[in-house]
Amino acid sequence: MDSKLEQVKLKYQQGQVLLDRGQYRSSVQTLEDAKSLVNLSSKLGGEVQLSLVTAYQGVDKLDDAIALCEELTRHPNLAIRQQSQRILYILKAPQLKRPEAWMTKIPATNSEDNPTPRYVQAKPATKPMKTSSLDLEDITQMDTKDNGFIGLALGLFIIIIGGLIWLS
């Protein structure tokens, strides 16, 4: 196997691991290194760039993520184009205002004498979607047979209510 291709695959895997761990800054650097080594019009090049879109989103570089995703909508590989279109739709969606109650107050670590609360929100930990033979619109391949869960839950509910009535 070609040495350059091995380097790309190694950098891509390292970038994915960093991305999965939430180490977005390191992931951006590693994936940018992989991007500089790979043929951007190859499938692997598209996958590296899709991961980079997610890493950009993690470090609040939304404009860079959108720009790269828009480039990927013209990628030669159909799966990469479709995936980038889905991601682009999500990236361009309007951001909702989050109530303060949804945020977690964490004391600032810059000064122990004067801990002032700051608001922290988790970064998205999304991974590029993997292509599979099961399409979201094709439910004919899904197992839709009844597994009896509702009947069991209803039976337990009736037993509990009956027990409560009997005890009172």
Side-chain angles (χ1 to χ4, degrees):
M1 190 187 296
D2 185 42
S3 166
K4 190 175 177 182
L5 182 60
E6 287 178 17
Q7 266 188 309
V8 169
K9 286 183 177 182
L10 181 63
K11 291 277 187 188
Y12 175 54
Q13 289 172 349
Q14 289 172 343
Q16 282 296 112
V17 168
L18 291 167
L19 192 60
D20 291 344
R21 290 182 182 163
Q23 298 174 342
Y24 301 111
R25 281 183 179 72
S26 300
S27 178
V28 166
Q29 183 60 49
T30 305
L31 291 169
E32 284 178 343
D33 291 346
K35 181 184 172 193
S36 69
L37 297 171
V38 73
N39 175 2
L40 299 180
S41 61
S42 69
K43 183 176 181 189
L44 179 60
E47 290 171 352
V48 167
Q49 292 175 88
L50 283 172
S51 293
L52 188 55
V53 166
T54 304
Y56 281 153
Q57 186 182 6
V59 292
D60 291 327
K61 290 186 173 183
L62 190 59
D63 292 338
D64 292 342
I66 290 173
L68 182 54
C69 214
E70 285 175 341
E71 286 178 33
L72 288 171
T73 61
R74 296 179 296 277
H75 195 273
N77 184 286
L78 176 64
I80 300 294
R81 282 196 311 265
Q82 290 174 334
Q83 198 167 345
S84 64
Q85 288 168 351
R86 289 183 199 118
I87 294 171
L88 188 60
Y89 178 79
I90 293 167
L91 291 176
K92 287 188 171 183
Q95 296 291 315
L96 299 176
K97 177 86 172 125
R98 291 175 185 87
E100 192 174 300
W102 291 4
M103 307 301 271
T104 303
K105 292 180 184 180
I106 299 176
T109 57
N110 56 357
S111 170
E112 291 181 21
D113 300 327
N114 187 13
T116 56
R118 62 184 172 115
Y119 295 98
V120 177
Q121 178 187 346
K123 299 287 183 201
T126 57
K127 291 189 219 177
M129 296 174 0
K130 298 199 187 232
T131 58
S132 70
S133 61
L134 179 64
D135 194 19
L136 291 177
E137 290 79 27
D138 187 9
I139 62 169
T140 60
Q141 296 179 9
M142 290 183 186
D143 182 15
T144 58
K145 123 181 125 166
D146 183 19
N147 63 5
F149 176 77
I150 293 188
L152 177 64
L154 186 58
L156 286 174
F157 178 75
I158 291 171
I159 291 171
I160 290 170
I161 295 299
L164 291 174
I165 291 172
W166 182 73
L167 287 174
S168 62

